Amino acid sequence: MIRMSEELLLNADIAAKKWSFEIPPAPIDDSEIAETVTSDVVVVGEGMSGLCTALSATEEGLKTTIVTASSKPVGRGGSVFATYSKVMERLGYPRFDATDFYLQEFASSSYNVDQRKWYSFHNNSETAMNWLIDMLEADGVKVVLENGNVDDPQSPTYQPIGTHAFMGENVSFAGIGITFALKALEKNFLAKGGTVAYRNIAKQLVKSGERVTAVIAEDSEGRLIKYEATKAVVLATGDFSANRDMMAKYCPSYAKYFINDDVDYDAAFVEKGLYKGDGHRMALWAGAAWQRTFPNAPLIQGSRTCSNMPYGAHRGIRINKNGERFMNEDSNAPYTAQAVLREPDQTAYAIWGTNYAYDIGWQAHGSTRGSDDTPPEKVIERWEAGVGNGNIVKGGTIEEVVAGLGLPHETTLATIKRYNELCRAGVDTDFCKKPKYLQEIRQAPFYGGKIDEYRFFSVFGGPRTNHNMQICDENDVPLGGLYAAGTMIGDMYANCYNFRIAGHNYGCCLTFGYLTGKFIAKNE
Ligand SMILES: Cc1cc2nc3c(=O)[nH]c(=O)nc-3n(C[C@H](O)[C@H](O)[C@H](O)COP(=O)(O)OP(=O)(O)OC[C@H]3O[C@@H](n4cnc5c(N)ncnc54)[C@H](O)[C@@H]3O)c2cc1C
């Protein structure tokens, strides 16, 4: 048995050993069970995916119970992608064409993802989104299209139209309204006869023969309750980013950044570690294999300092601590985070002039599609606010800003001089950046700031899951009676979650949840 420790040296022996989390605990004896509850479907977890699956199953006439460790529906953020919808139609936006875009995504994933899931999402997200929109609009919630990066479709920065967001009381920022959806889904679930067992921490799955037939949970009084499922158990327990051992095994390069290992089952907008992979471990103990894609893809957001796009990063010059330009700056914030993590001290800087506010268009994070550009004066106001809180350095000369950032004087000035020459020439012969992103640093006052903000949000994937969301063994044979939903679905993402489709994961929580409820009704 091995555990995560500083001096852990992997070798053949150790590699063959099991991690402690892979070893099943002793089965809970029936004599310890205080109560048994029988349903057709038991869904473990009350996040977006758990609720969508449970409501969909209930609408198919299945008696459904949600067993959740949380005291209420749980979620964070609120960007939810769909290929098309009645809201997109109303606003006159075209259906998302995945033809080339998906091929780009598969290439950026080294073709190491389950394409059947991606196309199932593509072909069904409209129906699922319209299902949700009907519930939200019935509650008076406004469904809008969140603004994304407008760019050349083949650019790694480009984001297709289709990210939906929900607005209402106290929420006018697009992308933080997931609670509206959770409330509407739970309300409809309860109204249609569903049951929720709150503050019940699922501990173990129960098998009869090869089939999973129940889950045992501990309630808030410490009693063990057996939730029997005549048709299926659906695991929707979120991620494993707060489990240090699982991160070390399945996402080793980023394990050291996910330092939070306290679990709050009601966790909302939490960074650096959410859950401990309870559902993942229960599935492994029941005989599931792990996904094929290795490593699991982390969800990391990067710096938006002086970014002119909602999910962009600064696309003027980027300089590392040695005063060197190190990349083509035409990348979005998550990809920028990956690039800056490779630089010395994992840090980098941006330097720009006042002209930058006038030379390009500015679209704000949290704005809606079609909204006007942010006026340059407002952009400068934000920079000044950054100067005020010490995040941005300001100077009457570039030299002052370079000094203020503590960058090496000679090298940095030479780098900026070279960059400005390229901008004036209109051709970037060093990093081939598109001419439209070559804005000279010419007008005082000048500004500069760090672009090394990393937001370690989550990690995606888990047990081997086929395109019907059935959890499978090493031979890709469904275990029987066991499904996955949401973040823990295996083989959906590879390398990193790149935000090119903003709200893709919630889109999958919604669409696959909707489909799985119906699949169980039809096939179990
Ligand atoms: C800060 C942040 C912002 C994000 N914003 C977005 C966004 O805007 N758009 C997007 O697409 N994605 C976003 N994500 C990623 C992801 O989509 C969300 O994390 C999403 O909430 C995942 O939904 P889920 O249903 O898979 O799991 P969760 O929402 O994490 O829900 C898991 C549920 O399982 C319960 N649970 C856990 N263990 C047990 C157990 N043992 N027994 C019973 N219940 C248990 C939990 O209490 C919870 O109710 C964000 C992630 C983070 C961290």
Side-chain angles (χ1 to χ4, degrees), residues 270-336:
V270 169
E271 298 181 30
K272 301 192 173 121
L274 266 176
Y275 296 119
K276 285 190 181 292
D278 297 5
H280 303 69
R281 288 178 284 135
M282 287 189 272
L284 289 173
W285 303 335
W290 195 252
Q291 64 176 41
R292 281 201 167 77
T293 305
F294 181 85
N296 284 66
L299 167 63
I300 302 171
Q301 190 46 290
S303 161
R304 284 198 178 93
T305 298
C306 193
S307 158
N308 76 313
M309 285 194 175
Y311 284 81
H314 180 66
R315 279 197 288 193
I317 196 169
R318 297 175 189 168
I319 295 172
N320 65 19
K321 74 166 220 178
N322 302 329
E324 302 150 337
R325 187 180 174 209
F326 59 93
M327 66 180 291
N328 177 323
E329 294 89 355
D330 185 6
S331 65
N332 67 13
Y335 277 146
T336 302

Side-chain angles (χ1 to χ4, degrees), residues 329-350:
E329 294 89 355
D330 185 6
S331 65
N332 67 13
Y335 277 146
T336 302
Q338 300 286 344
V340 177
L341 276 170
R342 301 164 47 78
E343 289 305 307
D345 294 355
Q346 301 176 326
T347 193
Y349 304 80

Side-chain angles (χ1 to χ4, degrees), residues 44-50 67-70 74-79 175 200-202 236-238 265 269-270 274-275 278 282 299 457-458 460 485-487 497 503-507 509:
V44 185
E46 199 186 21
M48 183 70 169
S49 64
V67 174
T68 186
S70 53
V74 162
R76 47 212 67 96
S79 311
N200 269 248
I201 304 175
T237 57
Y265 285 113
F269 213 98
V270 169
L274 266 176
Y275 296 119
D278 297 5
M282 287 189 272
L299 167 63
F457 281 160
S458 187
F460 291 129
T487 309
Y497 183 83
H504 196 209
N505 195 63
Y506 266 142
C509 291

Side-chain angles (χ1 to χ4, degrees), residues 9-10 34 75 100 154 158 167 178 190 215 232 259 282 314 316 338 354 366 393 438 469 497 503 512:
L9 295 173
L10 269 184
D100 290 331
Q154 71 288 345
Y158 166 76
M167 295 189 173
I178 202 65
L190 296 171
V215 60
I259 51 173
M282 287 189 272
H314 180 66
Q338 300 286 344
T354 298
V393 170
L438 293 172
M469 303 312 139
Y497 183 83
F512 295 147

Side-chain angles (χ1 to χ4, degrees), residues 46-48 51 73-75 178-187:
E46 199 186 21
M48 183 70 169
L51 275 163
V74 162
I178 202 65
T179 42
F180 294 116
L182 298 169
K183 281 202 185 105
L185 288 160
E186 189 189 54
K187 189 181 95 177

